[in-house]
Every structure is written in structure tokens, then in C-alpha cells.
Amino acid sequence: TPQLENLVRCIKLVFGETTEARCLAKARTYRVHVNNNAGGNSTGSKTKNNNHAGSGRILSYWCFAPSLAMQELAGLKLRSILVTSGTLSPLPSYSMELGLRFPHTLENP
């Protein structure tokens, strides 16, 4: 099923490192949350066309390190990554948190 394939892809993303130390360091940034689903959708609201009829569990796999996602994007050899927000200040600490160097920036004084 597609849902199971997504879970396998996520696990390979975390535990697919070349060394055990890197694998463990990366795995520390992820958290698993299991939520009981009482017939609603993933947001907890009930819908008419619910594919998940009945009760069940929702497995959420959260990454708390934005630098991992940004490194994945940078690894794709993208020419540009545009980051916009009204709350990115101070920009140097934001750059460090994302694990990327911004060669070109535009800030409001």
C-alpha cells in the first residue's frame, strides 16, 4: 500500500546512513507519535467520505531538525532556494539553524 511505502521510505531516510554514529545522530532528531483515531481523518475531524472508517491509529513521524530537510534540498543541486518570512530575523542564526549558507540575502533595514 502507498502508506506503508511512505513509512519504509521515511525509515530508510533516517537509518540509511553509512555509519552507525551518523545514523544514531540523525535518528535523535525524529520523534514518533501514535494517536488513536476515533473514525475521523488525520486532523481529528470527521468527514463524510472517510477512507479510514472505524477506529484506528495514526502514526506520525516528525523531524525536529529543519537542517535535515534543507540538506536534502541542497543535495538535489538546486540553483536557488527562496526562503521568505516576516520573522527570519536575525538572519545569521536562521542560516545556521537550516544548515545552509545564504550567499545572497535581502533584508529590510
Side-chain angles (χ1 to χ4, degrees), residues 4 17 44-45 50 53 62 67 74 91 107:
L4 188 56
E17 291 293 336
S45 63
N50 189 0
W62 296 327
S67 63
L91 197 53
E107 292 182 83

Side-chain angles (χ1 to χ4, degrees), residues 83-95 98 107:
V83 181
T84 63
S85 175
T87 58
L88 295 179
S89 189
L91 197 53
S93 67
Y94 190 72
S95 174
L98 291 180
E107 292 182 83

Side-chain angles (χ1 to χ4, degrees), residues 34-40 52-59:
V34 180
N35 187 26
N36 288 325
N37 184 18
H52 306 288
S55 63
R57 292 189 175 91
I58 298 172
L59 178 68

